[in-house]
Amino acid sequence: MKNILCLFMLFSSFGLFSQTQKISELLKLEKNMYFADRDSAYADPYYGLKKLIYGNKRFAENKSISPRQTDEDLRNTELGQTPFATIIGCADSRVPNEIIFDQGVGDLFITRTAGQVMAEASYGTIEYAVAALDTKLIVVLGHQSCGAVDAAMKLPENPPGHVVTLINAIKPASLKAKQSNLSDVEELDIAVHENVREQVKLLRNLEPLLSRKYQAGETLIVGAVYNMQSGKVEFLEDTITSLPKFAKAK
């Protein structure tokens, strides 16, 4: 059983599985669909999830359309913005959010730090997106082979400067991963996923704004992991099934 579980985790991390059947059913994903309307995504965060999934599907299958990325699109957003999703991602230069979700100018409100570790400024930025821009979807996006998570796994004795802040924030996920007693690659993959889950939990309980909005079902907060080899973004099933709308339906 343990070997089967390990194989599933490895295949999932290398992008050989798409969104789980459970996610597909809950979000009503259509097998051969590649597009979702932007206005509907802004109004309905569950539809916004579909828009991100379909956009990533285009990217992973080399069918990107690079929408709203012209000079005119830039000028049209001069007087304001209405992003339909907030992405909390890693600062890694190999994970460009608009590109991997195939979105354009004004679509995504993004905050990025190494290991997507958050602090006061990050919280304020996220709350601004929710309160001022009325963004209803928040995605914590980790990625395969994250250097910050790897550093936390190795727990160096004297990390330079403020790097220790990152390591300490990720340490709970790294310690949980080490308990699996698997290979270094497998443990790193587990830590990346656990780090995202811990950060989703943190935001869902962040007082006073996000916790209230989340519990009321007005703002969705979910987790995902990007695979650099396949180009696929895997939304974490447990962060989808635990959303208020779905949890109440059980």
Side-chain angles (χ1 to χ4, degrees), residues 23-160:
I23 291 177
S24 296
E25 292 174 355
L26 290 174
L27 298 179
K28 296 180 172 59
L29 299 177
E30 299 176 58
K31 186 175 182 181
N32 297 315
M33 180 62 71
Y34 289 86
F35 299 95
D37 178 67
R38 190 198 186 284
D39 291 339
S40 297
Y42 180 77
D44 181 352
Y46 290 94
Y47 197 86
L49 275 171
K50 294 172 68 171
K51 186 167 180 62
L52 290 179
I53 290 171
Y54 290 153
N56 175 249
K57 184 178 179 181
R58 294 195 300 271
F59 169 75
E61 296 182 12
N62 200 29
K63 296 178 180 178
S64 295
I65 61 172
S66 303
R68 295 173 299 283
Q69 295 183 11
T70 67
D71 290 343
E72 182 179 359
D73 292 316
L74 285 167
R75 289 192 296 271
N76 287 341
T77 58
E78 180 183 0
L79 299 179
Q81 58 173 321
T82 56
F84 73 88
T86 295
I87 309 295
I88 302 157
C90 181
D92 194 300
S93 62
R94 301 166 295 176
V95 192
N97 294 181
E98 285 92 349
I99 293 177
I100 66 174
F101 285 115
D102 196 27
Q103 302 301 315
V105 175
D107 288 337
L108 305 178
F109 192 80
I110 298 170
T111 176
R112 297 173 67 177
T113 61
Q116 64 275 349
V117 170
M118 291 171 277
E120 297 301 319
S122 301
Y123 301 148
T125 300
I126 299 162
E127 290 174 339
Y128 171 79
V130 172
L133 303 179
D134 198 28
T135 301
K136 300 177 179 66
L137 172 60
I138 297 173
V139 178
V140 178
L141 180 65
H143 69 92
Q144 168 207 19
S145 304
C146 179
V149 177
D150 188 41
M153 293 291 291
K154 294 173 180 174
L155 295 176
E157 291 186 6
N158 297 300

Side-chain angles (χ1 to χ4, degrees), residues 2-3 5-6 9-10 153 173-191 194:
K2 182 178 179 181
N3 289 337
L5 177 62
C6 292
M9 290 169 57
L10 280 175
M153 293 291 291
S174 68
L175 293 176
K176 188 176 292 187
K178 286 179 179 294
Q179 293 174 1
S180 64
N181 294 316
L182 299 172
S183 70
D184 290 347
V185 173
E186 291 170 310
E187 288 185 355
L188 176 57
D189 186 61
I190 292 173
E194 286 301 318

